[in-house]
Amino acid sequence: MAKPMTKTQLVAALAEKMDSDKKSAGEALDAITGIITEEVSQGGAVTLPGVGKIYCRERPERMVRNPATGEQIKKDADKVVKMTIAKALKDSVNG
């Protein structure tokens, strides 16, 4: 399996696709990341067309097991970031 694309590689590819320079592409990527982070951290969701939906889900208080000791402990309610993958992306991967 290949290594994941780094931010530098992503910025370079984005600059090429936008027919722009790396500085502008980097600023665009940072702006998109900032918008997604802000929206999801406030409980909202962001849909990236053709990629998927990023959202925040609340998990209720629950009992969990410490794998080292087997002890059951209560874990407080918390939030978790989830992503559902768009059908178009799934289909492109599976040919």
Side-chain angles (χ1 to χ4, degrees):
M1 185 171 162
K3 288 183 179 180
M5 184 181 270
T6 65
K7 181 179 179 181
T8 303
Q9 293 168 326
L10 182 57
V11 167
L14 187 58
E16 190 176 313
K17 287 280 186 186
M18 293 172 47
D19 196 24
S20 180
D21 59 283
K22 289 180 186 176
K23 184 174 189 269
S24 297
E27 289 170 356
L29 181 60
D30 289 342
I32 291 168
T33 303
I35 292 166
I36 292 170
T37 301
E38 187 177 323
E39 186 65 26
V40 173
S41 68
Q42 293 175 0
V46 176
T47 299
L48 297 172
V51 176
K53 177 179 163 186
I54 303 169
Y55 59 97
C56 181
R57 184 176 69 83
E58 293 188 19
R59 289 193 295 191
E61 183 179 275
R62 62 202 184 278
M63 295 301 290
V64 296
R65 186 179 68 83
N66 179 333
T69 64
E71 176 189 7
Q72 292 276 356
I73 48 177
K74 184 169 37 170
K75 185 160 173 48
D76 293 336
D78 61 357
K79 294 178 181 177
V80 63
V81 176
K82 293 284 193 175
M83 181 168 184
T84 55
I85 306 302
K87 184 178 184 317
L89 182 56
K90 286 181 194 175
D91 291 347
S92 74
V93 170
N94 289 315

